[in-house]
Amino acid sequence: MEEELKDRLGRIKGRIKQESGRLVIYNYLGIRLGYYDGRATYDKLGRIVGYGNLLVLFLKDEFGI
């Protein structure tokens, strides 16, 4: 499974891929930003960010939020 995240103009800002039972988010350059394991969301260093799927929060700067 792969999902592209696009802005209003259709430009790809990130991708979410399923890898080894996890959802992993990458920015538009292909840099891994974090992952969701079905229980919690973690940043690229493995630190917990919060509970639930919060992956899109890693792209807030890409969208100018």
Side-chain angles (χ1 to χ4, degrees):
M1 176 197 108
E2 181 174 316
E3 181 179 354
E4 292 181 341
L5 303 168
K6 299 179 181 180
D7 66 8
R8 297 183 281 173
L9 301 175
R11 296 177 296 210
I12 296 173
K13 295 298 182 175
R15 286 184 166 78
I16 297 177
K17 299 179 183 179
Q18 186 158 4
E19 299 175 359
S20 303
R22 298 177 176 175
L23 294 176
V24 182
I25 190 163
Y26 296 89
N27 70 5
Y28 71 99
L29 296 173
I31 298 170
R32 181 179 159 170
L33 302 175
Y35 65 92
Y36 171 66
D37 68 1
R39 186 181 65 85
T41 300
Y42 300 85
D43 68 7
K44 62 184 172 185
L45 299 176
R47 298 177 297 201
I48 193 164
V49 174
Y51 294 97
N53 187 344
L54 306 173
L55 291 177
V56 293
L57 295 178
F58 290 113
L59 293 178
K60 67 180 180 15
D61 294 331
E62 305 293 330
F63 285 99
I65 298 171

